[in-house]
Amino acid sequence: MKQFKRIYIEITNACNLQCDFCPQTRRKLEFMSLETFRHILAEIKGHTRFLFFHVKGEPLLHPELGQFLDLCDEMGAKVNITTNGTLIHKVGGMLLAKPALRQINFSLHSFDGNEGLQSKEAYIGNILAFTKEAIEKSELLIALRLWNLYENNTVNLGANKNRELLDSIERAYDLPYKIEEGILSERGIQIADRLYVNQDHLFQWPDMTQEQDNGAGFCYGLRSQAAILVDGTVVPCCLDGEGVISLGNIKTTSFAKIIESERARNLYLGFGKREAVEDLCKRCDFRKRFGS
């Protein structure tokens, strides 16, 4: 049985924000049903122990999130959630009571361009209150992400945008240093037990309207990861946010058959030769991180 380090499950593609770095999906907005989710878990059982509730959409919006986590616990799976954090004050207590939840990542850069939703003070305050409760009451891993840097490590929207958030984190944890001093040359820094601040550069979602290159490079799609969109479409990785590389639908075809299909094998073997065979992959800059 083919093993993956992680499988992404998009439990919803709806979001309560409109971030510049994450284009709104052109697909119909949906919330995955409990029946579909249960079917997916049965299909992927044995293929991975780690699930990520993310492709597009905001997972904390899903009204049955708690039940999804309970089903994962029954399966013995561990879950990572990536969230914009705006709803954590509403569901944080529920999340801390779910043993299946392994890690939660807060995309703090989501606040930029969405200031009308809530004040920055309330936004970061709710997230930090959750981190302190989580450290005290659980074994949860937490990452506070600022993925809004240019290649020269300057902040995309100006130093003051991140500095205000970093000031709040430094005050909350009484840090004797400036956080960026510890992460200028590396992606992250641990600031408390199981709590990390990560930075990274902006990335562009691959899109078929972009110009393609010669396809040289490597990707872990279908090697260490696969993704399942909210409608059941299986795609090779978490950056195929529109289901362009549809390998099949898990509602009608077994997961095992989908990942061994001719299209899936061609993609896998292509990257084994450091060559992208899919047109979308030829428009994806992320594969260039792994060299040509």
Side-chain angles (χ1 to χ4, degrees), residues 230-246:
V230 67
D231 67 351
T233 298
V234 177
V235 294
C237 77
C238 62
L239 291 184
D240 187 358
E242 295 302 320
V244 174
I245 311 174
S246 173

Side-chain angles (χ1 to χ4, degrees), residues 19 41 67 81 92 108 119 125 176 179 185 195 220 237 244-246 256:
C19 301
L41 290 186
Q67 291 170 272
I81 288 177
L108 300 186
S119 71
I179 290 174
S185 60
L195 177 64
Y220 286 98
C237 77
V244 174
I245 311 174
S246 173

Side-chain angles (χ1 to χ4, degrees), residues 104-119:
I104 185 163
N105 307 311
F106 291 97
S107 297
L108 300 186
H109 48 288
S110 300
F111 188 87
D112 292 333
N114 292 285
E115 289 87 344
L117 191 65
Q118 59 187 159
S119 71

Side-chain angles (χ1 to χ4, degrees), residues 142-165:
I142 305 171
L144 305 177
R145 292 178 170 177
L146 286 165
W147 287 8
N148 58 354
L149 303 183
Y150 282 137
E151 288 302 320
N152 63 358
N153 282 350
T154 59
V155 178
N156 178 32
L157 296 174
N160 290 336
K161 288 286 186 178
N162 278 1
R163 182 90 296 274
E164 189 175 347
L165 291 171

Side-chain angles (χ1 to χ4, degrees), residues 13-281:
N13 60 352
C15 188
N16 59 336
L17 298 184
Q18 294 183 348
C19 301
D20 291 339
F21 64 87
C22 185
Q24 296 290 296
T25 183
R26 297 184 291 273
R27 294 176 283 130
K28 181 180 73 171
L29 299 183
E30 297 182 56
F31 288 83
M32 185 176 286
S33 70
L34 201 61
E35 178 183 3
T36 295
F37 186 74
R38 186 180 286 111
H39 172 74
I40 289 172
L41 290 186
E43 282 292 323
I44 65 175
K45 186 175 182 179
H47 288 282
T48 190
R49 288 188 57 243
F50 298 99
L51 305 179
F52 288 61
F53 286 178
H54 181 66
V55 177
K56 289 291 185 76
E58 170 50 54
L60 301 194
L61 277 175
H62 203 296
E64 295 177 307
L65 176 59
Q67 291 170 272
F68 282 14
L69 290 169
D70 288 340
L71 288 175
C72 291
D73 188 41
E74 292 175 12
M75 173 186 168
K78 292 297 182 181
V79 177
N80 285 32
I81 288 177
T82 296
T83 172
N84 60 45
T86 56
L87 302 173
I88 195 62
H89 59 295
K90 296 183 178 181
V91 300
M94 178 273 291
L95 292 176
L96 292 179
K98 301 300 181 181
L101 186 59
R102 171 184 176 270
Q103 180 168 335
I104 185 163
N105 307 311
F106 291 97
S107 297
L108 300 186
H109 48 288
S110 300
F111 188 87
D112 292 333
N114 292 285
E115 289 87 344
L117 191 65
Q118 59 187 159
S119 71
K120 184 172 287 190
E121 182 179 3
Y123 172 71
I124 190 64
N126 288 333
I127 291 173
L128 291 174
F130 173 82
T131 65
K132 292 200 167 187
E133 185 178 5
I135 289 172
E136 179 183 352
K137 297 181 179 179
S138 75
E139 297 298 319
L140 192 63
L141 297 169
I142 305 171
L144 305 177
R145 292 178 170 177
L146 286 165
W147 287 8
N148 58 354
L149 303 183
Y150 282 137
E151 288 302 320
N152 63 358
N153 282 350
T154 59
V155 178
N156 178 32
L157 296 174
N160 290 336
K161 288 286 186 178
N162 278 1
R163 182 90 296 274
E164 189 175 347
L165 291 171
L166 294 174
D167 279 341
S168 296
I169 298 169
E170 289 161 3
R171 287 195 302 270
Y173 284 93
D174 195 24
L175 300 181
Y177 54 84
K178 297 293 185 183
I179 290 174
E180 60 264 48
E181 294 174 359
I183 56 176
L184 280 176
S185 60
E186 55 183 317
R187 286 192 57 178
I189 185 172
Q190 183 174 356
I191 63 170
D193 186 29
R194 292 172 283 107
L195 177 64
Y196 302 82
V197 177
N198 300 138
Q199 71 171 8
D200 208 338
H201 300 105
L202 281 169
F203 71 90
Q204 187 174 26
W205 286 80
D207 189 274
M208 291 300 289
T209 62
Q210 299 163 4
E211 186 176 351
Q212 72 177 47
D213 59 27
N214 64 8
F218 180 77
C219 179
Y220 286 98
L222 294 182
R223 273 182 161 73
S224 64
Q225 66 168 281
I228 304 167
L229 302 183
V230 67
D231 67 351
T233 298
V234 177
V235 294
C237 77
C238 62
L239 291 184
D240 187 358
E242 295 302 320
V244 174
I245 311 174
S246 173
L247 302 175
N249 194 293
I250 201 168
K251 293 181 180 180
T252 57
T253 307
S254 73
F255 184 70
K257 186 174 181 179
I258 289 172
I259 60 175
E260 295 297 339
S261 66
E262 181 179 3
R263 190 175 189 181
R265 288 199 307 272
N266 288 341
L267 184 147
Y268 181 95
L269 293 173
F271 278 124
K273 297 183 290 186
R274 300 304 193 263
E275 297 174 1
V277 299
E278 291 283 347
D279 287 343
L280 183 68
C281 299

